[in-house]
Amino acid sequence: MTDATELAPGVALLMSSFDRVLRSLGEDDIAATLPWQRHWATASAAPAPWPEGRSERCLQAHSIAFRLLAHAEENTTVQGLRQVQEDPDGCSPSGSWWRAFERAIAAGRSVDDMLADLARVRVEPVLTAHPTEAKRQTVLEQHRRLYEYLVQLENSMWTRAERGYIRDDLEACLESLWRTGEIYLEKPGLADERRLTLHFLGTVFPRAVSAAVRRLHSAWSRAGLPEDRAIEAMYAPRISFGNWVGGDRDGHPGVSAETTRETLAMLRDTALSVADASLAELGRKLSLTGRGSSHSEALRQHCEARAARLEGDGAAALMKRNEGEPCRQWINLMRASLAAPPVAGGYAESAELLADLDTLEASLRGVGADRLVDTELRPFRYQVRCFGFHLAQLDVRQNSQFHDQAIAALLAAAGVVEGAAYADWPADRRRELLDRELQSPRPLSRAGAAPAAATPVLDVYEVLAKHAAEYGSEGLGALIVSMTRSAEDLLAVYLLARDTALLQWREGGAVLPLEVVPLFETIEDLRRAPQILDDYLAHELVRRSLLARAPHGEAPVQQVMVGYSDSGKDGGIVASFWNLYRAQEALAEVGKRHGVRLRFFHGRGGAIGRGAGPTHRFLDALPAASVAGDLRMTEQGETISQKYANRGTASHHLELLAAGVFTALVSETEQRRFPATLRRAMDTITDHSYRRYRELVDHEGFIEFFSFATPVDAIESSRIGSRPARRTGKRSLADLRAIPWGFAWNQSRFVLPGWFGLGTGLKALQEKDADAFEDLLRAKEEGPLRWPPLHYLISNIATAFMMACPRQMRAYADLVPDAGHREAVFALIRDEYELTGSYLRRIYGGALEEKRPIIMAELGPRLEALEALHRHQIELLKRWRAARESDPAAAEALTPELLLSINAIAAGLGVTG
C-alpha cells in the first residue's frame, strides 16, 4: 500500500483532539486503533489491532476519523482559494471566475460581450434525497461545527487563552459526536429529508450565493476589467435552485399529493421568512432621514399609498414608526406585505416585491446614496431573484408505467372497450386515442369519482393547479416522466392533466402551463431520444403550450433530462458517456429544427459510475449545444453535504457551476471541434465496451455473484433514505436502482461501474485502426490536440480504477457460495481490470500512483486505513447472512454493526453510490 507522506494541515490537530477525548472517556484501547498515528502522534506509532469485542466502537472511531480528514482537506482547499484571491500573481484553480475571464479576454471578447455572456448564464442545482446520505442530520450539524472550530483555530487573532477555549469547544463537540449514533436506527422519513433540504435552501444557500457573487466581483477586478462595470457583472448571472424532495414519486410510495402540498407550503413559508429577515436587516442599515429631499418626499407618498392598500390597523401603526425615516417606513411596509398567506393588498408574487425595491432604489439614488444601493440593496434584490417566494422550484417526477396504469383505469371506468389493456396497446393506437381525447375538454372521470389507480396522479395535479391559482406558478417546476419510451408517454401527462384543473382551455385550444420533461435513462432510450423528441415537439398541443410559456420575444424552451445513473448501469461507463454525448448533440439539432431552445437537465449521481467528476471538466466536456448558457443538474445524497455544508466550499462550487457555463459560452465553437476520426474511434470503443459489459451482466451467474460479492443485501436493509432500493421490489438488475448498484460495488472495492469495459474498447480500436488509436492518445494529452470529452472520460475512469483494489475484490468474491459462478464471473472482472490497467498505464506513461500524485495524495491515507474495515465487514457479512437463514433475531442484532461498517467504508472512500 502506498504510504501517505503528508496529510492535510489540520489533521494532526483534529486527530490528537479526538485521541484526547477518547482517552478522557476511558476509551484508550479504541484511541490506540486510530489511523495515521505516525503523522500526528509519533513518527514510529502505528494503529493497534482492534480489541476483542469492541468492533462497533472501532468502526465508529474510524468513520469519525475519515470525516476529520475530510474537514482538514476541505479547509486547506478553501484557504488556498483565499490566498489566490489575495495574491495577484497566484495561480487560480481551473474552473474559477478568474480563469474564465482570462480565457474570455484571450478569445478577444470585449467587455460588452462578456457582460452579455454573463447575463445568459443560468445555473440551477437541484437537490434530491436519493438514499446515499449515510449520516444522520444531527451528525451532519456536529461536523459543521467541527469545521468551524478548525477554521477559528487557524486565525491568528486569538490569544492563547482564547485558542484554548475554542479547542475546549471542539473537543466537547467531538465528545458529543462520539456519544451520538452515526447511523439511522430507524429508516428516515420524508419529513426528515425535507427538513434537511430546507436547511440547505433556507440557511446555507442564501449566504453561499452572496459569497459566490462576491467571488465574481473579486475575479473581475483581478482580471483588470473595468471597475465601473464590476457591479453590473457581479449580478448578471442567474442562480436558482430546484428540489425533488416531496415531489419525486418514481417508485416512492411515501410521496403523496398531501406530501407535495405540504412541501410547496413549507418552501414558500421558508422563502418568505428568509426575505423578511433580510428586509429587517436592510431596515437596520438604511436609517436615512428625509429632511429637505424631494426624493424622500416622493418615497413618503409611496408609503402612504402602500399603507392605504394594506388592510387593518397594522399599516397605520407602521407609518407612525420611524417617522422622518422614509426608507425604514417603506421597508416596514414591504415586510407587512410579505405575510403568508398573502394579506389584502400584500404581495402575491416576488415580482411585486422587486418593483417596490425599484422604488426604494430610485429614492436612494436620488439623494446620491449609490454606495448604499450597491452594497446593501442590490444584494437583497439578487437574493429575491434567486429564491423568490418559493425558495426552490419543486419538480414532480413519476414513472411512465404509473401514467399508463392511471389512463388504463380511467378508460375502463369510462367504459372504453379494452381500456384496461391500454399499457399493452401499440403506439399508433395509443396516439390515436390521445389525439382524439385531447381535442375535447371532457374529462374521463367525474369529479371525486376517479378510480383508485388514477387517484394518486390526479390528486397531485390538483394540488399543483390549486397552488398555481393561489400563488402563481413561480414555485412549480417540471412534470418529469422517467423511463420515457415514446412521445405517447409525454402526451399521457396532458391527458391526465385534463382530468384536473391543471390543463387550461384558452382561445385557440388547450395549454399546459407546466413543462412536461422526458427523462432518457437507458442506452436504448438515449439512442431513440432524438426521434421521440422530434415527434413530441411536432404535436400541436405541445407547440401551443411551449409558446404560451415563453416570455415575450423569446424562443420557447423545452427541458430534456438525461440520466447518467441508469445508462451507466445499463451499458457501462464508456457506453453511457458516449451515448449521452451523441444524444445531446442530436437532441439539440432537433430543437433547432423546431425553433426550440433545449435546456438540458443532467441527472448526475455522486459516484463516477453515475456521472460524477470535477464540475469544470464535466462542463468543458459537454457538446457545445447542450450548454448554451443554461445548466440544470442534480445534487444527490452525500454530495450535498460534501459540496455545500460550509459557506466557503458552497460558494466555490456555485462559482464552478456559473464560471463553467460562462466559459462554455465563450468557447462553444473552437474548443469543441474534433476530427471525424475521433468520433469513429469513440464509436468503436463504445461498441466493444458495451458488448463486454453486457457479457458480464448477462452472464448466468452474475446476479448471484453481485448478491454475495457485494453488501448489496445489507445496503437494502439500511436506514439511509426513505426511498426503497428497488422500484417495484423485483429481484432483478433492471429493477434495482442505480444508487445501491454503485454503492455496493464501491463498498467491496470493485468500483466496477467506474471503469469496466474501457480496456476491451481500447484494445479493439488498437487492433482495428492503430493510427486512430494513436490519435486518441494524443487527444487525451494537454495541448492543441486535446479533446476535453476524452480527457474527462479517461481521467474519471483512472480515478475510479485507482480506488479499486484487486486484493479486496478477491476477498469479497470468496463470499459467493457457487464456485462455478464465482470463478467464471470473477475471471471476467479480473481480466478486464488487468486489461484496463495496462491501457491506462500506457495513456499516462507509467504507474497511476506516480503519474497522478494529487489524486494519490487524496486516496493514499484513505486506502491505507480501509484495510481493517474491509476485513471486518467481510466477516460480518458471513455471520449476518448465516444468521438470516437460521436465526433472524441474531441477524437483527448484527445489523447495526454491519451498517456501521458500511458507513465507515463510505466515509473512507468519500462516496456511497
Side-chain angles (χ1 to χ4, degrees):
M1 177 62 61
T2 300
D3 183 25
T5 58
E6 185 178 350
L7 293 177
V11 174
L13 184 153
L14 292 171
M15 290 300 297
S16 60
S17 294
F18 187 32
D19 175 84
R20 192 158 45 250
V21 167
L22 290 175
R23 294 184 187 279
S24 72
L25 298 175
E27 304 276 17
D28 299 62
D29 53 347
I30 304 299
T33 70
L34 291 176
W36 320 305
Q37 294 199 25
R38 62 187 175 280
H39 300 291
W40 56 267
T42 62
S44 60
W50 289 14
E52 189 73 26
R54 307 292 319 276
S55 54
E56 281 196 43
R57 289 311 235 175
C58 289
L59 287 168
Q60 184 179 353
H62 275 68
S63 181
I64 293 173
F66 285 128
R67 288 297 300 151
L68 297 181
L69 174 63
H71 291 323
E73 291 173 337
E74 180 180 357
N75 185 51
T76 298
T77 299
V78 172
Q79 296 303 329
L81 292 170
R82 288 188 176 130
Q83 289 176 8
V84 166
Q85 290 179 315
E86 286 295 314
D87 180 7
D89 298 321
C91 182
S92 289
S94 298
S96 66
W97 274 120
W98 185 80
R99 285 286 188 93
F101 293 145
E102 184 183 49
R103 191 164 172 177
I105 293 169
R109 304 292 286 173
S110 69
V111 172
D112 286 337
D113 290 337
M114 293 169 67
L115 288 169
D117 288 337
L118 284 170
R120 289 176 60 193
V121 170
R122 182 184 181 191
V123 297
E124 184 176 353
V126 180
L127 306 190
T128 75
H130 286 295
T132 59
E133 177 54 80
K135 293 174 289 300
R136 299 168 57 196
Q137 183 174 349
T138 300
V139 172
L140 290 173
E141 173 60 23
Q142 289 166 334
H143 281 297
R144 186 191 64 78
R145 289 168 52 209
L146 284 173
Y147 178 84
E148 290 180 351
Y149 292 138
L150 175 61
V151 172
Q152 290 179 35
L153 284 169
E154 290 195 341
N155 194 323
S156 60
M157 67 177 284
W158 308 113
T159 65
R160 181 178 300 178
E162 288 171 328
R163 290 177 60 81
Y165 298 145
I166 296 171
R167 188 149 184 172
D168 288 343
D169 290 339
L170 183 150
E171 293 184 1
C173 187
L174 280 169
E175 179 175 344
S176 178
L177 184 63
W178 178 248
R179 294 178 182 273
T180 303
E182 281 268 310
I183 60 172
Y184 287 109
L185 298 178
E186 296 180 0
K187 197 172 184 67
L190 275 162
D192 302 302
E193 294 171 340
R194 188 167 55 195
R195 186 162 49 249
L196 183 58
T197 302
L198 286 170
H199 165 72
F200 278 99
L201 289 170
T203 303
V204 176
F205 286 134
R207 295 198 301 265
V209 165
S210 178
V213 296
R214 287 198 295 270
R215 296 169 80 99
L216 190 160
H217 184 282
S218 174
W220 181 273
S221 300
R222 184 184 173 197
L225 294 165
E227 284 294 333
D228 62 343
R229 311 294 296 276
I231 295 295
E232 183 182 354
M234 183 177 179
Y235 294 113
R238 171 80 180 273
I239 299 174
S240 59
F241 297 90
N243 175 39
W244 276 18
V245 183
D248 182 15
R249 56 216 342 104
D250 179 11
H252 195 324
V255 183
S256 64
E258 179 60 18
T259 303
T260 299
R261 186 199 66 76
E262 290 176 352
T263 303
L264 287 168
M266 293 172 74
L267 286 167
R268 181 177 173 84
D269 289 347
T270 305
L272 293 175
S273 296
V274 170
D276 182 67
S278 296
L279 269 175
E281 179 66 19
L282 187 64
R284 286 190 285 271
K285 294 176 179 178
L286 298 183
S287 55
L288 289 72
T289 59
R291 298 185 183 91
S293 166
S294 60
H295 292 279
S296 296
E297 176 59 26
L299 184 58
R300 188 188 62 78
Q301 292 175 7
H302 279 297
C303 289
E304 291 176 351
R306 165 62 67 184
R309 288 199 300 271
L310 291 171
E311 289 186 353
D313 298 330
L318 287 175
M319 289 298 293
K320 294 180 181 179
R321 291 175 54 190
N322 306 115
E323 288 187 316
E325 296 178 339
C327 289
R328 280 186 165 177
Q329 287 182 318
W330 186 237
I331 291 171
N332 290 338
L333 290 165
M334 283 194 284
R335 293 184 65 192
S337 302
L338 277 174
V343 296
Y347 302 131
E349 297 182 352
S350 61
E352 298 173 71
L353 172 58
L354 288 170
D356 279 358
L357 289 174
D358 288 341
T359 300
L360 179 58
E361 178 176 344
S363 178
L364 289 170
R365 292 202 184 278
V367 297
D370 293 337
R371 182 182 290 106
L372 294 179
V373 171
D374 291 341
T375 61
E376 307 296 350
L377 183 58
R378 293 196 70 165
F380 175 61
R381 176 197 295 281
Y382 193 71
Q383 175 187 308
V384 176
R385 279 184 59 198
C386 293
F387 299 98
F389 289 177
H390 61 285
L391 209 60
Q393 284 199 327
L394 181 68
D395 289 340
V396 168
R397 182 177 73 142
Q398 184 54 282
N399 194 292
S400 59
Q401 294 181 1
F402 284 82
H403 293 156
D404 286 350
Q405 294 168 12
I407 290 177
L410 287 169
L411 292 174
V416 176
V417 178
E418 299 181 4
Y422 171 81
D424 299 322
W425 289 4
D428 57 349
R429 186 177 180 187
R430 284 192 287 159
R431 173 60 70 87
E432 180 184 2
L433 177 132
L434 289 165
D435 284 346
R436 183 176 68 250
E437 287 294 327
L438 288 171
Q439 295 296 318
S440 168
R442 170 192 51 79
L444 288 170
S445 62
R446 297 189 307 276
T455 299
V457 179
L458 299 184
D459 283 354
V460 73
Y461 288 179
E462 289 284 7
V463 166
L464 298 178
K466 184 178 180 181
H467 185 89
E470 291 181 358
Y471 306 116
S473 58
E474 185 181 51
L476 301 181
L479 304 173
I480 300 175
V481 182
S482 60
M483 293 299 171
T484 298
R485 305 152 300 178
S486 67
E488 288 75 36
D489 287 337
L490 303 174
L491 294 172
V493 175
Y494 290 78
L495 181 60
L496 291 165
R498 189 194 65 173
D499 268 44
T500 69
L502 194 58
L503 190 68
Q504 300 174 2
W505 293 86
R506 305 176 184 177
E507 184 178 352
V511 167
L512 188 60
L514 299 185
E515 197 172 10
V516 179
V517 175
L519 169 50
F520 300 115
E521 301 176 82
T522 67
I523 298 295
E524 181 61 28
D525 289 343
L526 287 168
R527 290 171 177 169
R528 296 182 61 246
Q531 174 189 341
I532 294 170
L533 184 67
D534 186 52
D535 187 13
Y536 177 65
L537 292 179
H539 198 277
E540 179 184 2
L541 175 54
V542 173
R543 184 75 184 177
R544 190 163 54 242
S545 297
L546 284 170
L547 290 171
R549 289 194 298 269
H552 181 70
E554 295 185 17
V557 176
Q558 171 65 48
Q559 188 179 158
V560 175
M561 186 173 182
V562 288
Y564 292 69
S565 301
D566 281 287
S567 60
K569 181 165 72 76
D570 185 42
I573 187 169
V574 177
S576 170
F577 172 84
W578 188 234
N579 278 282
L580 281 161
Y581 190 95
R582 297 197 66 174
Q584 289 175 72
E585 284 186 318
L587 287 165
E589 284 298 315
V590 171
K592 186 177 180 180
R593 288 201 306 271
H594 285 273
V596 173
R597 180 173 70 81
L598 293 194
R599 185 186 193 204
F600 284 96
F601 180 11
H602 301 273
R604 302 171 74 206
I608 286 173
R610 295 181 52 234
T615 299
H616 65 288
R617 293 200 183 278
F618 166 74
L619 294 173
D620 200 30
L622 290 174
S626 72
V627 183
D630 200 343
L631 176 73
R632 201 165 194 251
M633 185 176 72
T634 55
E635 298 285 16
Q636 300 183 1
E638 83 283 349
T639 62
I640 298 173
S641 58
Q642 288 173 356
K643 291 181 179 180
Y644 300 110
N646 301 301
R647 185 174 63 178
T649 312
S651 62
H652 174 56
H653 281 287
L654 292 176
E655 175 183 10
L656 292 177
L657 291 174
V661 172
F662 172 80
T663 299
L665 285 172
V666 170
S667 59
E668 62 185 358
T669 53
E670 71 277 4
Q671 295 295 328
R672 296 172 189 268
R673 296 194 189 108
F674 61 99
T677 54
L678 282 181
R679 181 181 292 275
R680 291 194 296 271
M682 283 302 302
D683 287 342
T684 298
I685 294 170
T686 297
D687 179 55
H688 288 271
S689 170
Y690 176 76
R691 281 190 276 170
R692 179 65 164 172
Y693 180 84
R694 293 309 310 183
E695 179 186 1
L696 173 67
V697 298
D698 292 336
H699 191 281
E700 178 186 1
F702 178 76
I703 294 297
E704 180 190 1
F705 184 93
F706 174 64
S707 299
F708 284 95
T710 74
V712 65
D713 46 354
I715 290 169
E716 291 181 303
S717 300
S718 66
R719 288 89 165 180
I720 59 172
S722 67
R723 178 184 300 277
R726 296 178 183 270
R727 285 187 166 90
T728 66
K730 296 177 182 177
R731 302 298 300 180
S732 68
L733 183 60
D735 193 61
L736 181 71
R737 293 186 183 277
I739 295 161
W741 164 258
F743 198 168
W745 286 118
N746 290 342
Q747 283 279 309
S748 53
R749 295 290 293 287
F750 286 86
V751 201
L752 186 142
W755 57 265
F756 191 92
L758 177 68
T760 293
L762 289 173
K763 183 174 184 289
L765 177 64
Q766 185 180 25
E767 293 174 348
K768 183 177 180 179
D769 191 338
D771 290 339
F773 176 76
E774 294 300 327
D775 287 344
L776 197 78
L777 295 187
R778 285 190 289 272
K780 161 67 178 67
E781 300 301 324
E782 299 290 343
L785 298 178
R786 177 178 174 270
W787 184 40
L790 183 67
H791 183 85
Y792 178 73
L793 175 65
I794 297 297
S795 297
N796 280 350
I797 289 177
T799 298
F801 187 87
M802 292 171 71
M803 293 173 65
C805 176
R807 184 174 62 260
Q808 298 301 342
M809 291 184 204
R810 179 72 259 183
Y812 279 91
D814 287 340
L815 295 172
V816 180
D818 187 302
H821 289 164
R822 176 180 67 235
E823 297 309 318
V825 174
F826 185 74
L828 285 172
I829 297 173
R830 180 199 59 219
D831 292 349
E832 186 63 29
Y833 178 85
E834 293 175 353
L835 185 63
T836 298
S838 68
Y839 276 99
L840 287 173
R841 286 189 291 275
R842 176 165 181 176
I843 290 170
Y844 282 94
L848 297 183
E849 292 84 354
E850 298 173 0
K851 297 299 181 179
R852 307 188 82 212
I854 296 176
I855 299 298
M856 198 59 216
E858 295 177 0
L859 289 177
R862 290 169 167 80
L863 303 186
E864 170 192 344
L866 282 168
E867 293 289 317
L869 275 67
H870 285 299
R871 288 195 299 270
H872 187 68
Q873 185 181 81
I874 289 170
E875 291 305 313
L876 276 173
L877 282 169
K878 291 178 183 177
R879 292 162 53 199
W880 181 69
R881 287 168 177 168
R884 291 179 80 186
E885 296 294 327
S886 60
D887 190 352
E892 184 63 24
L894 281 171
T895 298
E897 185 174 351
L898 182 56
L899 299 185
L900 270 173
S901 76
I902 292 171
N903 187 48
I905 291 174
L909 292 172
V911 66
T912 53

